[in-house]
Amino acid sequence: MILQIDFKAGKPVYLQLVDQIRYAAAAGRLRPGEPLPSIRPLAEELRVNRNTIAKAYAELESQGVIETLPGKGCFLKVNSSPFTKPVRDKLLLTEIDEAVVMAHHLQIGRDKFLALVQERLDYFERKSTQHDSAE
Amino acid sequence: MILQIDFKAGKPVYLQLVDQIRYAAAAGRLRPGEPLPSIRPLAEELRVNRNTIAKAYAELESQGVIETLPGKGCFLKVNSSPFTKPVRDKLLLTEIDEAVVMAHHLQIGRDKFLALVQERLDYFERKSTQHDSAE
DNA sequence: TTTGCTGTCCTAGAACTGTAGGACAGTGGG
DNA sequence: CCCACTGTCCTACAGTTCTAGGACAGCAAA
């Protein structure tokens, strides 16, 4: 887990961490069951308060991405997504709609949009299978 | 333009308006060149300060979605997107990646994801052509 | 010009958010 | 048990954000 934060990015540090960890999990760079860096050492390394890391982990836990074993640490969840199917569908639909609306305003056509989507799906799929076999 | 705001949604009012207008434009419910509701009447109707509406419009203008003609009002832009191609690509890619990462964590597979994307593309396309011809 | 509309700038206060430090609770090896 | 580690809760404060009201500038019809 290589985590980097940008203090002058405008974006809150804890959200930068949330995004990076979500992304890393989707790319297979962080695998189910694997432990996340523990809060205090990571806080020291990144030069932030431990509660900033704790807040990121709490957010990830509420999203069902990680789980906390009291006294042991935080781990990437094996079976992600604690939400019901309708809730999951709604969450995803919102994201998809945002992308589709964005494409409209950027005047990017259906074909190019679909090509980009497939490209990114390939990218994440390739990455995660790489990490499954080798690494 | 039917705009509705939810004061207990947690989301800032001006952002609710930005989203609704972007969405309406993408769905063809608001067409290029068409005027937006003027600030003061809309503010009164929605029971918010005029600056809240003004802030939403300012944000939309900075996104290249609408334009302001001094003394006349705000109108949906005809040729949207004042950004360069690399910037547009990066903006869209960010949105797409968010959706793809979300799908991963919701354990929604590639096929269902692609089906949903196409469904939403169809939805917006259909809506906007409906509004082009009829109504 | 006057009137009434359009959006805009400036300022201010209330509310919220992000970050931080102290004290506490669960776990496991010596 | 005791110590060193794990994460958590509580409180606090600085900074930002959101919303709001007053005064101002551009446009157009009477």
Side-chain angles (χ1 to χ4, degrees), chain A residues 32-51:
Chain A
E34 196 172 326
L36 278 73
S38 33
I39 288 182
R40 270 162 245 245
L42 181 57
E44 197 175 352
E45 185 190 327
L46 299 178
R47 310 290 187 117
V48 294
N49 188 275
R50 53 203 150 77
N51 282 331

Side-chain angles (χ1 to χ4, degrees), chain A:
Chain A
M1 277 300 318
I2 303 127
L3 292 168
Q4 283 185 324
I5 55 183
D6 178 3
F7 287 102
K8 51 186 180 339
K11 191 169 190 173
V13 171
Y14 85 97
L15 280 183
Q16 292 184 39
L17 295 174
V18 168
D19 284 351
Q20 284 182 45
I21 291 167
R22 281 177 69 87
Y23 195 100
R29 242 174 55 228
L30 190 62
R31 282 178 285 177
E34 196 172 326
L36 278 73
S38 33
I39 288 182
R40 270 162 245 245
L42 181 57
E44 197 175 352
E45 185 190 327
L46 299 178
R47 310 290 187 117
V48 294
N49 188 275
R50 53 203 150 77
N51 282 331
T52 301
I53 312 289
K55 187 168 188 175
Y57 284 10
E59 173 65 23
L60 286 164
E61 181 155 36
S62 86
Q63 291 177 8
V65 174
I66 69 174
E67 65 186 334
T68 300
L69 306 188
K72 298 181 126 184
C74 294
F75 303 84
L76 192 62
K77 258 203 178 176
V78 182
N79 288 325
S80 205
S81 167
F83 307 115
T84 64
K85 193 160 165 253
V87 172
R88 300 204 323 256
D89 283 359
K90 183 155 171 41
L91 284 169
L92 184 56
L93 221 64
T94 303
E95 286 299 326
I96 291 177
D97 277 2
E98 268 178 42
V100 170
V101 169
M102 178 66 86
H104 172 92
H105 287 110
L106 297 178
Q107 298 186 291
I108 292 173
R110 180 186 184 111
D111 292 345
K112 175 152 189 199
F113 182 80
L114 277 171
L116 275 172
V117 168
Q118 307 222 22
E119 182 189 310
R120 297 312 288 170
L121 282 167
D122 289 341
Y123 175 80
F124 280 99
E125 256 174 43
R126 182 158 35 81
K127 278 223 149 190
S128 54
T129 51
Q130 269 176 10
H131 287 259
D132 277 352
S133 51
E135 211 228 350

